[in-house]
Every structure is written in C-alpha cells, then in structure tokens.
Amino acid sequence: MFHPDLMRHPDSCPTLVLNADYTPLSYYPLSIWPWQTAVKAVFLERVDIVAHYEREVHSPNLTMRLPSVIALRQFVKQSQFPAFTRFNLFLRDTFACQYCGSHVRDLTFDHVVPRAQGGRTTWENVVTACAPCNLKKGGRTPKQAGMPLPIEPIRPTSWQLQEHGRRFPPNYLHETWHDWLYWDVELDA
Ligand SMILES: [Zn+2]
C-alpha cells in the first residue's frame, strides 16, 4: 500500500487512494499507489477517478491524464482494532516519550510493569519512552520510580490510530489531494 519512494519522487505522480466514502484509506502512512497501479484499477473498474494530474499517458488508441486521486468503488471495512505492531504502538503514542513528552529520534519501548515483575507485552503494558526515561525508570513500576504516566496506555481502535495519523502529513502533498485530507496541524501553503 505504501511506497516511500513515491513520496521522495513526486515527479512519479503518485495517486491518493480514497475509500468508497471518500476518506483516505490510511493517513499514516498515507494511502497512495503508483499511477500505473491506479490506471490498471481504473480499467478494471475497481475505482473512480476523482482528480487528475496535468501529465498524460498515451497508448495507440488512448490518451489519458494520470489520476491524482481515486476512490474505491467497493467500501473497504477497516478492522476495528489494529494489529499490535511496533509502528502502531509508536503511532498510538504519537512518537513521543510517554513519560516526559519529548519527540526524540531514538524512541524505545518500556514495559510499564516490568517483565521481571510479571508485566506482559500488551497494548496496556507497553509505552513509547525516550532512552533517558527508560534508563531512569529501570526495572521499576511508574509508582516505584516516581514517574507517573500522564496517559493510561490503552488498546486503541483503528479509528483512534487514524486520528493520530492525521498529525503527520507527509512532505509531499499534491494540490488535488488537499480536498480529501484533513490534518490536525497547520500546513504551509
Ligand atoms: Zn522521556
């Protein structure tokens, strides 16, 4: 679904993919396809074209402007609960240390109740932590360490993760995409 190379090379004309209700399939990573995949889906009548690029492709019997936004004809139902993965954990915690709130590059995971004290690896017992906080807390519970968690870790719904994803707009956004995306942060025009 996600092609980081496309975002690094906007000249490649990536296509924003919307669900049948015209909301993006995913905010973070943003759901985009290579235009070749999008064009194929158009011909298979699986998607409708919502907006175009200026750029055209030609075949012997057809000229077509590249789709910049497409919408699936069939609604894709998202599972209610996202998978328990490293990325989703970071996204739930908005890539911030849950103890001090810092957004550092080298984030780690912390077992709230340490494994040595019977803590399990679950949504409710693992949080994102910066290395200094993780080190400071050591093999102690937040209470033992005097480091209370401002937010109780929960198992998020897919909708909640999607909401968090809206805080992370990618560097590249084509102008025709703006009508379909709603970010939680101010974007430079
Ligand atoms: Zn920290």
Side-chain angles (χ1 to χ4, degrees), residues 72-88:
L72 303 180
R73 290 196 173 174
Q74 197 119 46
F75 184 77
V76 173
K77 200 168 177 288
Q78 317 267 15
S79 59
Q80 193 188 352
F81 293 103
F84 182 61
T85 64
R86 289 173 59 88
F87 182 85
N88 285 342

Side-chain angles (χ1 to χ4, degrees), residues 97 99-102 130 133:
C97 173
Y99 293 101
C100 71
S102 69
C130 70
C133 282

Side-chain angles (χ1 to χ4, degrees), residues 84-85 89 92-93 109-113 115 118-128 153-156:
F84 182 61
T85 64
L89 240 166
R92 181 199 66 183
D93 293 347
F109 291 118
D110 172 63
H111 281 77
V112 179
V113 175
R115 272 177 291 196
R120 295 172 54 210
T121 305
T122 59
W123 281 112
E124 294 84 359
N125 194 51
V126 180
V127 294
T128 302
I154 55 150
R155 179 191 185 195

Side-chain angles (χ1 to χ4, degrees), residues 17-151:
V17 185
L18 305 175
N19 209 336
D21 64 355
Y22 285 69
T23 60
L25 271 187
S26 164
Y27 265 96
Y28 193 47
L30 189 60
S31 46
I32 55 170
W33 288 353
W35 66 260
Q36 293 89 338
T37 307
V39 167
K40 222 174 278 176
V42 169
F43 283 106
L44 291 171
E45 300 187 340
R46 291 190 182 142
V47 299
D48 289 317
I49 297 177
V50 179
H52 297 270
Y53 285 103
E54 290 301 323
R55 199 174 134 196
E56 295 177 336
V57 279
H58 305 274
S59 75
N61 41 20
L62 179 92
T63 295
M64 182 185 184
R65 286 166 75 192
L66 294 183
S68 62
V69 183
I70 54 173
L72 303 180
R73 290 196 173 174
Q74 197 119 46
F75 184 77
V76 173
K77 200 168 177 288
Q78 317 267 15
S79 59
Q80 193 188 352
F81 293 103
F84 182 61
T85 64
R86 289 173 59 88
F87 182 85
N88 285 342
L89 240 166
F90 279 138
L91 189 54
R92 181 199 66 183
D93 293 347
T94 62
F95 297 83
C97 173
Q98 294 302 288
Y99 293 101
C100 71
S102 69
H103 289 85
V104 290
R105 198 172 268 271
D106 297 322
L107 286 169
T108 63
F109 291 118
D110 172 63
H111 281 77
V112 179
V113 175
R115 272 177 291 196
Q117 296 190 37
R120 295 172 54 210
T121 305
T122 59
W123 281 112
E124 294 84 359
N125 194 51
V126 180
V127 294
T128 302
C130 70
C133 282
N134 207 334
L135 199 67
K136 189 173 148 204
K137 180 168 172 281
R140 300 175 292 177
T141 65
K143 199 172 175 191
Q144 291 163 348
M147 296 169 67
L149 275 171
I151 303 168

